[in-house]
């Protein structure tokens, strides 16, 4: 049947469509099917490279092999493609978008039969349902991102999710682009171009096909290559192995060339055929299946394919989200921000593919030979064109240009080239080179090893160095595949004279700022310069300053944070032209790792006389700890000039103790062939190079070792930036602990020049080194820190110049490890402090917990706060006294409270905080007397306190007199009578005083006391009170002067009955001691607190009055005497009068520390300033150096201390240095200070009242000369200058690692800002926030020494191991008061020896990585287990425990005359139980033997050295013994101990000799976490980081209350064991079943807890310690409980209890 051809003209394009009518061969074959109706397509866009899986929904889809989707467009050019679709259901089909030549919106139509589509190509007239739109995108991702984790390990892939965030609006549209689904979605960590081996292709045999057996034609390639392969091979390579005739013998040779090119390269020497593996180069090994059957024409070929290890396929989640399994960045790659810890790299994303370049087109100089891409597929017809390695050019990189460009290179000589770029498709540049776009923009030199950067992240590299001629050309296009951190640049030109080319500005780089920023660039009036500024993208930039007068250039100008700009042309700009773009945060990830390359370390056994130690350079590119061992070789003895090397890895990457380190072995491949020494860099492996100074003169056999490791540490730039002086990040500079491991804590190096050519240095606050000469030729290594300094010159430095080099460690920290067990010690506990009985006899407090009466801020009344009974003056104030029923009636509280919340001490519930408020408003009592009705007192009383007034007629009958005495006193205390006053009547009155007047009813009265009138004028005479937490005040109470009860057992006694200021408030709190925290110790402990006798005065602080010039002797006031007060008080002395030449006078007051506001007015009586001591009170005397020359309101404050210092110790150890309870603590000395002549708190003292908002530490550093210092306020460092209990600086001791830093460069770390240099003087110097320091000895200190002053806002004092105490008051405790705090260690994590327990590990610094590991280790069994960990969050990881052998080795029993100090360690490995005997054969050697239990059939071993401090193995038993250092052993000394087999330990024997007093056969492990696969580990070891491998033990002799379920202290009942067993875990780790084991010792178990067992939802196996000797007897039943064989309660959830070796009786089974 004929086909009809329909020609359709649509949109100016001629379409040809074949039509097949019904019944035609098309219809007959496939059948006509009506087209479907289309509704939606998702996603709506994807890359033009295709690969996007599209879901099309609608109706009428048919299952058909001809189901097709047509994509069509006519703009920018005609493209029509038909793709096969996959039928899902009648409403859904799926299709993969094809690759397109251009970016456009495509017309999408669907056909059920492959013929009739829903719409003709690009025809939209059919309306809805006939077509859909799909956008083919040709751009790269950009815009604001947020990463779910921006910090990764330096080892192992990390899964990172990228979310596109909002960003600012530009023209009403949110900045940035969506992600698109694609089969070509890639993520890359950084822009590294280094490639590594990926795989080998199958070997192709090209010889004769007939006559030879298959094995004779077979050659295989080993799967791997050596570590050195990537050092030398960076491209895909074809290897050819060719047979050749050699004098009648068929041998083989090999060569290689760039993959895809025509065969080339130079053949190797001939080799004989062998069936052994033969290395071609760098670990490429081939193996022939046979040695026979070869012909001289046989050829084998295979490809070695490389890959970019920094790029990986990503996963599309949504238009706003993609997931990236990000590989670690290249250690040799660029660090975007060297000022930050770790390595900062840009996270790149492409949904258009990994390689963003077209195939390269080569054209020879004559224009005759040309080829695009690899010529090999062209076949034999082009063989004569000879397209070999000489014409191969690699285009590489992460193109980040704003649009797609064509790059063109042209050889200018046989080894040099020039290059240019222009827009893709720019026809003009094909004929001219003069326009801005077409000019040659740069030049380069042909290189095979090094890549040459052109522009916009584009690099080129050649496959060979030769075979090129001037005029040869290469051309390729660069496409916008990869994401960028910058938005497109917008330009606003001021005049038409600025052409489009002149207006083209490029913004490039990887922005590493923390927030999105807008950059503005503007041409200045000098049009050859510009200015720029950057501001938060969420603002308009108003007020942000410009950086001006920057030259316009066509080369890059760095602005900041990695962003640079340049123009296409340097001219043609107009004043005011402005460019704007946005730099987006969220594109940078930080890898917390740096590569460590150690120095070449000579072996201790080397023969002396080598010419020089070789120099090591380079960056280690490996991902594991390793070493390179170099050995001098050759046919020589003393003048060798050749070497060989081998790379080795350790059996344990990071040993967890010295014993494991000693047992570590190194292994690797084989030594290389001998290599001649050269005085230039010779590459070895993994980026490491070695350079020989002298290239001969070495001793044969001498070896050198180079340590290699990816180190999770950072060496940050020096502060301030040292350039051009020195660079701390010199060659191979990596912070480590001296042994090649990551340190446990941060540090800082101080480098100080001592002369123009020498320097000294120190780590943290340690002592300075001796002077070191500057070496400009090679780096100077600073001790064992791993840091090298590189100097630019050998001299010219300024003495005294100082630089700081911060060192950061990035190992994770483990805070606690938990499992879901319910054992009795599942958490630690800290008891409340228990007061010693002797406290109640200690004066002056006698154990009272009541504090002083504290005035509230703002009080104005006169009050001097003394406790009752008080020493010295009793004037004013109120005192809290205990009510009836208290243990000691004489004890009173004396201390001030500085914390706002009352502590919870041991008597807090008895005495809650009470509040008291003065009410007593002015009032006059009724008049009394025989003629009371004759006198009226009027007016408002304005006096300060209550007085009793007496009036009586006097003189004449028309006059009266009056007097008064204080309320509460008697007439005997009354003052003198006044003179006569007129008696007036009616509306008139006679003034008395203080607003009171008298009016009489009669005008005359008989003179005499018989007619005396009496009344009381009251003021400040009543109060109300309430307890803490109560809102209502009590009824008003009149002050009586006696003991007046408040509530809750607290009473007060006022020292006077009136005169208090209405509205003044007071608080009465507890002077208790509280304890809290989380105890982290590994064993139970007792902490003792001891109050010290500190009755002393601080140096007086002088406060000059406003406008005063008082100085010298006039400012010199001293305090003497023996302070007798009970609490710490501040005495304030103020000059009251001062006249020229006249003796000054003063007034004084005192108040509780911190209570100056509310401390009341100064005393009313002025005292003369005297050269002799003047008593204030409580033994406090003041005197001056001059009695005149002061200014009114000059003030001095001095603090008198009483009962405000303490010390503590743990478990009877040494007492700590004294610590203060007050807000300004005692001065502490740094433990590493060199100077010893100065005493803290004697030569250097601190005083004042700290007013800061948080606890802190004031650091003081002595400067050169020893008479000046500087200071800063630092984050709080508890006991900053102290050592730990063992007089060593432990892993986390002291907290001084950042003290030397300055907040000007490290603001985020709370390190404070160092002050300028200050003179040391004896007078107190104000530092900050009320803190003063006085150098009583003002010179003679040692430069570099540091002192610390703790200043506190809280009352919390950290002891050790997580224990914190809080004093309810900051003074007033009795000397020798003592409290004990008991701390019980917890077992937070426990699980059975069988393993599979889910460990939940909380901490910090955990990184999502395939290399995340957990390690369980101990120093008893010496078994270390490393397992995979599951990342949950930066603070949480989970892992499952492996099975662990039981600890079945007993402690040794000693018999002899020498030392008994010998330890047993290890995990016993033999299958039968034995008794070991160890005896001394001499004072330094020993023998051992092993006898089966109960036998003496063993024999003694030979003698072996004891090797003190090392583990000595007892054969292959797995048991070791360790002899102690410093001990004396004697011949015949003998130890015996048992070791039980695993079977005996589990199944048959109660191991009483190993169980008593221990957790054996359980094992206590410490848990550590590694982010990098075990190269480094967390260093936290305390009670909360442990895991107890132990089954649960139950025994008839156990106790459910006091037992802990271990073998030595078992539980009593099986149900308690079930309660202690593991509950189901969270399911983070698949194999963590949390099944638990309960071991039941022989006996009969009955009654409650043994017969009515509930699973509690747990999976438990109850196992008899001896099979058949355990009986559960249900004869005694528990009412209502389920028993064995009966249904368990449904509420307990899924669970199972299995019985093994247990007999059950009377249980209905």
């Amino acid at each position: 049947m004929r086909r009809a051809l329909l020609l359709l003209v649509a949109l100016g394009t001629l379409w040809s469509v074949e039509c097949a009518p019904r019944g035609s061969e098309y219809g007959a074959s496939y059948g006509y099917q009506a087209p479907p109706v289309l509704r939606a397509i998702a996603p709506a866009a994807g890359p033009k490279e295709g690969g996007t899986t599209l879901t099309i929904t609608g109706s009428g889809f048919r299952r058909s092999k001809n189901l097709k989707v047509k994509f069509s467009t006519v703009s920018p050019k005609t493209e029509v493609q038909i793709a096969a679709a996959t039928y899902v259901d009648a409403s859904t089909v799926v299709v993969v978008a094809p690759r397109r030549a251009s970016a456009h919106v495509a017309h999408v139509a669907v056909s059920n039969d492959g013929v009739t589509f829903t719409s003709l190509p690009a025809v939209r007239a059919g309306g809805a349902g006939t077509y859909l739109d799909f956008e083919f995108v040709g751009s790269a991702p950009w815009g604001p991102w947020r990463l779910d984790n921006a910090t990764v390990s330096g080892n192992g892939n990390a899964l990172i999710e990228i979310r596109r965030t909002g960003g600012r609006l530009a023209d009403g549209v949110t900045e940035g682009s969506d992600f698109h689904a694609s089969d070509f979605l890639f993520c890359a960590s950084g822009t590294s171009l280094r490639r590594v081996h990926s795989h080998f292709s199958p070997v192709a045999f090209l010889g004769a096909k007939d006559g030879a057996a298959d094995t004779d034609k077979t050659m295989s390639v080993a799967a791997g290559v050596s570590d050195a392969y990537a050092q030398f091979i960076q491209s895909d390579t074809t290897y050819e192995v060719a047979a050749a005739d050699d004098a009648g013998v068929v041998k083989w040779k090999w060569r290689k060339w760039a993959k895809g090119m025509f065969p080339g390269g130079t053949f190797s020497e001939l080799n004989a055929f062998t069936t052994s593996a033969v290395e071609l180069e760098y670990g490429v090994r081939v193996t022939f299946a046979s040695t026979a059957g070869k012909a001289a024409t046989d050829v084998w070929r295979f490809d070695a394919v490389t890959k970019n290890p920094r790029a990986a396929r990503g996963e599309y989640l949504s238009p706003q989200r993609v997931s990236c399994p990000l590989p670690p960045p290249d250690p040799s790659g660029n660090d975007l921000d060297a000022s930050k810890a770790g390595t900062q790299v840009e996270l790149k994303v492409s949904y258009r593919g990994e390689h963003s370049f077209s195939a390269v087109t080569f054209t020879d100089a004559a224009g005759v030979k040309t080829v695009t891409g690899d010529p090999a597929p062209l076949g034999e017809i082009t063989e004569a064109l000879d397209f070999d390695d000489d014409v191969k050019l690699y285009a590489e990189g992460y193109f980040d240009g704003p649009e797609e460009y064509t790059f063109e290179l042209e050889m200018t000589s046989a080894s040099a080239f020039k290059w240019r770029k222009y827009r893709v498709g720019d026809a003009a540049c094909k004929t001219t080179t003069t326009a801005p776009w077409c000019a040659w923009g740069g030049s380069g030199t042909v290189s095979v090893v090094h890549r040459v950067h052109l522009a916009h992240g584009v690099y080129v590299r050649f496959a060979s160095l030769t075979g090129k001629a001037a005029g040869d050309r290469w051309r390729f296009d660069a496409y916008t595949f990869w994401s960028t951190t910058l938005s497109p640049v917008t330009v606003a030109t001021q005049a038409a004279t600025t052409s489009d080319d002149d207006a083209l500005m490029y913004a490039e780089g990887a922005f590493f700022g923390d927030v999105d920023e807008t950059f503005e660039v503007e041409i200045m009036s000098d049009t050859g310069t510009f200015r720029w500024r950057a501001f938060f993208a969420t603002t308009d930039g108003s007020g942000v300053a410009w950086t001006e007068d920057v030259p316009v250039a066509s080369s890059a100008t760095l602005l900041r944070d990695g962003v640079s700009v340049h123009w296409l042309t340097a001219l043609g700009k107009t004043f005011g032209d402005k460019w704007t773009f946005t730099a987006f945060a969220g594109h940078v990830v930080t890898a917390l790792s740096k590569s460590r390359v150690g120095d070449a370390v000579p072996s201790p056994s080397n023969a002396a006389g080598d010419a020089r130690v070789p120099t090591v350079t380079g960056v280690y590119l490996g991902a594991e700890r390793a070493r390179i061992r170099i050995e001098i070789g050759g046919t020589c003895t003393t003048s060798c000039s050749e070497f060989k090397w081998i790379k080795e890895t350790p059996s344990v990457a990071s040993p967890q103790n010295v014993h494991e380190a000693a047992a570590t072995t190194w292994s690797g491949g084989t030594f290389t062939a001998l290599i001649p020494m050269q005085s230039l860099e010779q590459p070895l492996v993994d980026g490491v190079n070695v350079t020989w100074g002298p290239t001969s003169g070495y001793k044969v056999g001498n070896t050198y070792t180079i340590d290699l490791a990816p180190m999770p540490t950072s060496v940050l730039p020096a502060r301030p930036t040292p350039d051009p002086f020195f660079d701390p990040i010199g060659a191979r500079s990596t912070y480590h602990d001296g042994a090649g491991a990551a340190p446990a804590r941060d540090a800082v190096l101080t480098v100080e020049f001592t002369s123009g050519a020498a320097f000294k240095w120190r780590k943290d606050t340690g002592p300075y080194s001796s002077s070191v000469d500057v070496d400009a030729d090679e780096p100077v290594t600073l001790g064992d820190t791993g840091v090298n300094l590189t100097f630019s010159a050998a001299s010219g430095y300024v003495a005294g110049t100082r630089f700081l080099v911060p060192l950061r460690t990035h190992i994770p920290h483990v805070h606690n490890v938990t499992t879901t067990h319910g054992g009795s010690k599942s958490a630690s506990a800290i008891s409340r402090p228990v007061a010693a009985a002797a406290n109640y006899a200690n004066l002056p407090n006698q154990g009272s917990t009541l504090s002083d009466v504290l005035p509230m801020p703002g009080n104005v009344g006169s009050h001097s706060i003394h406790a009752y009974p008080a020493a010295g003056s009793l004037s004013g104030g109120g005192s809290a006294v205990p009510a009836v029923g208290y243990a000691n009636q004489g004890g009173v509280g004396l201390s001030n409270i500085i914390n706002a919340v009352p502590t919870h001490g041991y008597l807090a519930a008895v005495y809650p905080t009470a509040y008291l408020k003065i009410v007593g408003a002015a009032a006059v009592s009724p008049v009394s007397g025989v003629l009371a009705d004759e006198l009226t007192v009027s007016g408002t009383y304005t006096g300060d306190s209550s007085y009793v007034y007496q009036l009586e007629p006097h003189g004449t009958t028309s006059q009266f007199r009056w007097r008064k005495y204080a309320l509460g006193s008697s007439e005997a205390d009354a003052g003198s009578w006044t003179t006569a006053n007129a008696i007036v009547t009616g509306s008139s009155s006679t003034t008395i005083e203080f607003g009171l007047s008298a009016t009489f009813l009669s005008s005359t009265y008989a003179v005499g006391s018989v007619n005396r009138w009496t009344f009381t004028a009251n003021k400040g005479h009543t109060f109300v009170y309430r307890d803490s937490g109560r809102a209502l005040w009590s009824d008003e109470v009149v002050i009586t002067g006696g003991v007046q009860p408040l509530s809750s057992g607290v009473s007060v006694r006022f020292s006077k009955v009136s005169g208090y200021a209405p509205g003044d408030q007071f608080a009465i709190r507890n002077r208790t001691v509280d304890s809290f925290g989380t105890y982290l110790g590994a064993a139970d402990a007792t902490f003792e607190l001891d109050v010290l006798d500190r009755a002393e005065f601080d140096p007086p602080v002088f406060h000059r009055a406003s406008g005063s010039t008082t100085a010298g002797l006039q400012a010199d006031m001293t305090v003497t005497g023996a302070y007798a007060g009970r609490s710490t008080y501040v005495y304030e002395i103020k000059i009251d009068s001062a006249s020229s030449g006249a003796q000054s006078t003063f007034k004084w007051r005192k108040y509780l520390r911190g209570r100056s506001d509310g401390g009341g007015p100064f005393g009313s009586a002025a005292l003369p300033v005297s050269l002799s001591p003047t008593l204030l009170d409580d033994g406090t005397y003041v005197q001056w150096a001059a009695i005149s020359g002061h200014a009114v309101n000059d003030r001095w404050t001095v603090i008198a201390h009483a009962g405000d210092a303490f010390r503590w110790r743990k478990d009877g150890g040494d007492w700590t240095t004294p610590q203060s309870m007050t807000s300004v603590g005692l001065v502490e000395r740094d433990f590493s200070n060199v100077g010893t002549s100065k005493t803290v708190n004697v030569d250097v003292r601190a005083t004042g009242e700290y007013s800061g908002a948080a606890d802190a530490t004031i650091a003081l550093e002595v400067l050169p000369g020893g008479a000046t210092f500087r200071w800063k306020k630092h984050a709080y460092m508890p006991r900053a200058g102290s050592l730990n209990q063992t007089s060593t600086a432990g892993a986390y001791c002291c907290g001084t690692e950042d003290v030397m830093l300055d907040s000007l460069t490290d603001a985020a770390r709370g390190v404070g800002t160092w002050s300028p240099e200050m003179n040391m003087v004896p007078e107190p110097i104000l530092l900050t926030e009320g803190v003063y320091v006085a150098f009583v000895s003002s010179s003679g200190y040692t430069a570099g020494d540091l002192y610390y002053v703790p200043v506190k806002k809280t009352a919390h004092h950290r002891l050790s191991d997580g224990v914190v105490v809080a004093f309810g008051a900051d003074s007033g405790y009795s000397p020798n008061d003592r409290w004990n705090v008991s701390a019980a260690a917890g077992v937070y994590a426990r699980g059975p020896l069988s393993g599979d327990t889910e460990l939940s590990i909380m901490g910090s610094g955990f990184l999502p990585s395939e290399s995340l590991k957990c390690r369980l280790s101990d120093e008893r069994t010496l078994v270390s287990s490393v397992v995979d960990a599951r990342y949950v969050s930066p603070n949480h990881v989970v892992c499952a425990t492996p099975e662990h052998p039981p600890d079945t080795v007993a402690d040794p029993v000693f018999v002899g005359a020498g030392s008994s100090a010998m330890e047993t360690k290890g995990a016993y490995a033999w299958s039968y139980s034995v008794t070991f005997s160890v005896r001394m054969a001499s004072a330094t050697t020993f023998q051992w033997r092993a006898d089966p239990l109960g036998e003496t059939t063993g024999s003694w071993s030979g003698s072996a050295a004891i090797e003190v401090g090392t583990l000595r193995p007892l054969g292959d038993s797995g048991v070791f013994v360790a002899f102690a250092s410093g001990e004396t052993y004697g011949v015949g000394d003998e130890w015996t101990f048992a070791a039980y087999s695993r079977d005996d330990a589990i199944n048959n024997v109660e191991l009483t000799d190993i169980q008593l007093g221990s957790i054996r056969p359980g094992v206590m492990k410490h848990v550590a976490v590694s982010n990098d696969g075990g190269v480094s580990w967390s260093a936290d070891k305390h009670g909360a980081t442990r895991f107890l491998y132990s089954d649960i033990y139950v025994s008839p002799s156990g106790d459910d209350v006091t037992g802990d379920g271990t073998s030595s202290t078992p539980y009593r009942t099986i149900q308690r064991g079930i309660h202690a067993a593991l509950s189901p875990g969270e399911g983070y780790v698949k194999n963590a079943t949390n099944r638990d084991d309960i071991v039941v010792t022989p006996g009969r178990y009955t009654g409650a807890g043994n017969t009515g067992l509930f699973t509690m939802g747990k999976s438990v196996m109850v196992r008899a310690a001896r099979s058949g000797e355990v009986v559960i007897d249900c004869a005694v039943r528990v009412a209502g409980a389920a028993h064995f064989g009966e249904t368990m309660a449904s509420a307990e959830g899924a669970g199972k209890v299995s019985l093994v070796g247990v007999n059950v009786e009377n249980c209905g089974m």
Side-chain angles (χ1 to χ4, degrees), residues 88 241 380 403 492 542 605 631 655 825 860 922 988 994 998 1035 1090 1220 1283 1339 1406 1453 1456 1506 1579 1596 1599 1641:
V88 178
V241 176
E380 296 181 358
E403 55 186 324
S542 58
S605 61
E631 182 176 319
K825 289 189 176 182
V860 298
S988 300
F994 297 133
D1035 293 336
D1090 190 23
S1220 177
L1283 295 170
S1339 63
F1406 303 137
V1453 177
I1506 62 175
D1599 192 297
T1641 60

Side-chain angles (χ1 to χ4, degrees), residues 231 330-333 595 597 617-622 685-689 732:
Q231 184 94 356
D330 186 351
S332 64
S595 288
V597 179
T617 58
V619 176
Y620 177 52
L621 305 176
V685 64
D686 288 332
V688 180
N689 310 306
R732 313 180 327 280

Side-chain angles (χ1 to χ4, degrees), residues 55 67 85 166 327 541 559 584 674 707 805 915 964 1069 1107 1149 1418 1625:
T55 299
L67 186 64
L559 303 185
F584 300 108
L674 287 173
D707 281 333
V805 182
Y915 295 95
K964 67 178 181 180
R1069 297 178 180 167
R1149 66 170 182 163
D1418 72 286

Side-chain angles (χ1 to χ4, degrees), residues 917-1292:
K917 180 170 68 173
I918 301 298
V919 177
V924 178
S925 71
V927 179
S928 63
V930 295
L931 299 175
D933 294 339
E934 296 284 323
L935 174 65
T936 300
V937 180
S938 60
T940 300
Y941 180 58
T942 60
D944 292 329
S945 59
S946 299
Y947 282 90
V948 176
Y949 286 83
Q950 293 177 325
L951 285 72
E952 62 182 36
H954 177 68
T956 67
T957 57
S958 61
Q959 293 180 326
F960 73 95
R961 64 180 182 177
W962 65 268
R963 67 178 180 180
K964 67 178 181 180
Y965 57 88
L967 181 66
S969 60
S970 66
E971 290 186 9
D973 299 315
S976 302
W977 291 98
T978 64
T979 57
N981 301 278
I983 294 176
V984 296
T985 60
S987 60
S988 300
S989 63
T990 298
T991 300
I992 302 175
E993 68 172 359
F994 297 133
L996 298 180
S997 299
T999 302
F1000 296 85
L1001 188 61
S1002 301
S1003 58
T1004 62
Y1005 294 93
V1007 175
S1009 60
V1010 65
N1011 289 329
R1012 180 178 296 173
W1013 294 274
T1014 302
F1015 66 89
T1016 302
N1018 288 303
K1019 183 72 171 292
H1021 60 298
T1022 60
F1023 68 93
V1024 292
Y1025 61 88
R1026 63 181 176 88
D1027 288 344
S1028 176
R1030 294 184 179 178
L1032 300 178
W1033 293 96
S1034 70
D1035 293 336
E1036 192 169 347
V1037 181
V1038 176
I1039 299 172
T1040 66
V1043 175
Q1044 295 181 268
L1046 303 183
S1047 59
S1048 302
V1050 178
S1051 298
V1052 293
R1053 180 172 181 173
F1054 292 85
S1055 59
K1056 58 182 183 180
V1057 296
S1058 67
Y1060 299 93
D1064 280 2
Q1065 294 191 38
F1066 304 86
I1068 307 165
R1069 297 178 180 167
N1070 285 328
R1071 187 194 301 104
T1072 55
V1073 180
D1074 192 16
S1075 56
F1076 58 96
T1078 301
Y1079 179 56
L1080 302 178
D1084 296 350
T1086 299
F1087 293 84
E1088 294 175 83
L1089 306 176
D1090 190 23
V1091 176
L1092 302 176
D1093 187 2
R1094 188 192 179 195
E1096 62 180 7
F1097 300 103
D1098 280 353
V1101 177
F1102 176 59
H1103 309 271
R1104 188 175 286 108
S1106 177
S1108 170
T1109 59
T1110 303
L1113 294 177
Q1114 285 75 16
D1116 185 3
M1117 185 196 80
T1118 58
V1119 182
T1120 59
Y1123 181 57
R1126 300 184 177 196
S1127 298
T1128 297
Y1129 274 90
V1130 179
Y1131 285 84
E1132 185 175 4
I1133 298 95
K1134 181 177 68 173
I1135 297 297
D1136 184 62
S1137 66
S1139 301
S1140 178
Q1143 185 174 8
S1144 304
T1145 63
F1146 72 94
K1147 292 183 177 181
W1148 68 275
R1149 66 170 182 163
K1150 75 175 186 179
Y1151 46 83
L1152 289 166
R1153 190 168 178 146
R1155 300 286 164 172
S1156 60
D1157 183 9
F1162 287 86
S1164 58
L1167 303 174
V1169 171
S1170 174
L1171 302 179
S1172 300
T1174 299
L1175 175 64
L1176 303 183
D1177 74 350
D1178 290 336
T1180 304
Y1181 295 82
V1182 295
Q1183 66 187 87
W1184 278 263
I1187 64 173
S1188 62
H1190 307 95
V1192 173
N1193 291 328
D1194 282 346
R1195 293 183 303 114
W1196 292 261
T1197 54
V1198 61
I1199 299 175
H1201 293 277
D1204 63 2
F1206 73 102
R1207 61 181 181 173
W1208 63 271
R1209 65 181 178 180
K1210 176 184 176 184
D1211 288 338
D1214 295 334
W1215 289 103
T1216 63
T1217 54
Q1219 295 176 251
S1220 177
M1221 306 172 193
T1222 58
S1223 63
V1224 177
L1226 294 168
V1227 180
E1228 299 172 359
R1229 178 182 183 272
D1230 192 280
F1231 71 91
S1232 60
N1233 280 2
V1234 174
T1236 58
S1237 64
K1238 303 300 180 184
T1239 303
V1240 293
N1241 302 303
V1242 175
D1243 294 296
V1244 55
R1245 302 188 63 183
T1247 186
E1249 298 179 82
Y1250 175 58
S1251 60
D1255 293 356
T1257 296
I1258 306 296
L1260 313 170
E1261 184 191 11
V1262 180
L1263 298 180
T1268 60
F1269 73 103
R1270 63 174 186 164
W1271 69 272
K1272 70 169 182 174
K1273 179 183 177 183
H1274 191 87
Y1276 181 58
M1277 300 179 291
R1279 303 178 65 227
S1282 302
L1283 295 170
N1284 60 21
Q1285 291 273 133
T1286 59
S1287 298
T1288 60
Y1292 300 103

Side-chain angles (χ1 to χ4, degrees), residues 70 289 361 421 473 611 615 786 839 909 990 1562 1627:
K70 182 178 291 185
T361 297
K421 74 175 192 323
R473 290 195 178 197
T615 300
N839 289 8
T990 298

Side-chain angles (χ1 to χ4, degrees), residues 492-516:
T493 57
Q494 296 299 308
T497 54
T498 304
S499 68
D500 290 345
D501 288 345
D502 293 332
L504 181 58
M505 185 194 78
Y506 297 102
E508 294 185 315
F511 176 66
F512 53 77
D514 296 326
V515 296
D516 298 348

